[in-house]
Amino acid sequence: MYECYAEIITVGNEILSGRTVNTNASHIARRLVSIGFTIRRITVVMDELDEIKQAFIESLSRKPKLIVSTGGLGPTYDDKTSEGLSLAINRPLELNQRALQMLIEKYSRLGIQLTEERRKMALMPQGSIPVENEAGIAPGIYINYQGIEILATPGVPREMENVLENFLSRYLSNRPNKKYYEENFIIKGVMESALAPYVKQLVKKYDLYIKTHHEGKELDNPLLEVQIAGSSENEEEIKKKVKNCKKELMEIGKQLGGSIQEG
């Protein structure tokens, strides 16, 4: 059976030291699996240029359809993912004008000066496309190298998630040959933290991607948009699974005192 392989690279000393749990890799893996990818390898490397470069080279040598990295895109001296990727694919690092404009607009709104350290976040391998990051500052980096799609995301979880979703919806072309199915609905009056343990149980039960998008305020008039998604070679099977999960989660929302609005 044909498999659409993906690999994940996490950059960060804090992961290797055990100080930070690698939740980013698990989120990326579950999201990619939900649309039909098979995750072949997850690699964690230090914030060192040669380590990052070698991780990309080794991953590219296995010729996956997609590589997603997380971490190392910020303004500090130890944010070296862009440079490591540049060396791995032998494309010069350059100031990406579109990325620079994104930074100028964001810092201008904040009334903050664009320093050289901040301009560093616009340095990308030649031919890169910056991916929108509405949850933070540093844009993601998307590049197609010899038919392999590469996405580099920031390490802050909410920023990683935002960049990943923007990439999947706007840029990804190597899509798996599986049937993808998604349903959404809205729960009003239930805090995200109250629903979270039930979401965790249903993720394990159904093996689906379930994401609660917080649209309101947690303590004052909470409103959640719930996304349930999965993929399978059997279209009817995945539709049934998603619908059953949705029905169960909607019932839980009602039991918690919420009102449901179909998406």
Side-chain angles (χ1 to χ4, degrees), residues 7 29 60 225 227 256:
E7 297 202 8
L60 287 164
E225 181 181 356
Q227 175 189 11
L256 292 173

Side-chain angles (χ1 to χ4, degrees), residues 7-11 24 28 52 56 66-74 80-86 121 123-125 128-133 138-144 149-156 159-164 167 171:
E7 297 202 8
I8 300 166
I9 298 172
T10 304
V11 179
N24 278 4
I28 295 167
I52 298 168
F56 277 112
L66 173 65
I67 300 171
V68 178
S69 77
T70 179
L73 294 187
K80 300 175 181 178
T81 297
S82 185
E83 187 178 359
L85 175 57
S86 173
M121 291 182 285
L123 290 173
M124 299 181 176
S128 295
I129 297 173
V131 181
E132 295 81 357
N133 176 5
I141 300 172
Y142 166 51
I143 194 162
N144 191 311
E149 293 186 90
I150 304 170
L151 171 68
T153 72
V156 178
E159 296 186 37
M160 174 277 296
E161 292 179 20
N162 184 266
V163 169
L164 178 64
F167 167 74
Y171 301 103

Side-chain angles (χ1 to χ4, degrees), residues 81-98:
T81 297
S82 185
E83 187 178 359
L85 175 57
S86 173
L87 292 171
I89 63 177
N90 196 28
R91 292 191 185 180
L93 204 62
E94 63 179 20
L95 189 66
N96 186 291
Q97 292 302 314
R98 183 178 166 193

Side-chain angles (χ1 to χ4, degrees), residues 11-14 16 45-49 52 72 78-80:
V11 179
N13 293 341
E14 68 279 6
L16 291 167
V45 295
M46 300 176 71
D47 297 303
E48 292 186 4
L49 192 57
I52 298 168
D78 58 345
D79 288 312
K80 300 175 181 178

Side-chain angles (χ1 to χ4, degrees), residues 167-212:
F167 167 74
L168 294 178
S169 63
R170 302 172 190 176
Y171 301 103
L172 176 66
S173 59
N174 286 331
R175 293 190 176 273
N177 188 26
K178 290 185 178 181
K179 301 297 182 182
Y180 174 78
Y181 187 71
E182 174 182 315
E183 289 213 6
N184 299 270
F185 66 95
I186 291 172
I187 301 180
K188 295 181 180 179
V190 176
M191 292 187 293
E192 189 174 35
S193 57
L195 193 65
Y198 299 98
V199 169
K200 184 177 180 180
Q201 291 172 12
L202 293 180
V203 165
K204 292 181 179 179
K205 178 178 178 179
Y206 288 100
D207 193 25
L208 292 171
Y209 174 79
I210 307 174
K211 176 66 177 177
T212 52

Side-chain angles (χ1 to χ4, degrees), residues 3 20 25 30 35 50 68 76 78 89 132 134 146 163 176 185:
E3 294 285 351
T20 301
R30 184 166 294 280
I35 61 172
D50 286 343
V68 178
T76 61
D78 58 345
I89 63 177
E132 295 81 357
E134 292 96 352
Q146 297 180 355
V163 169
F185 66 95

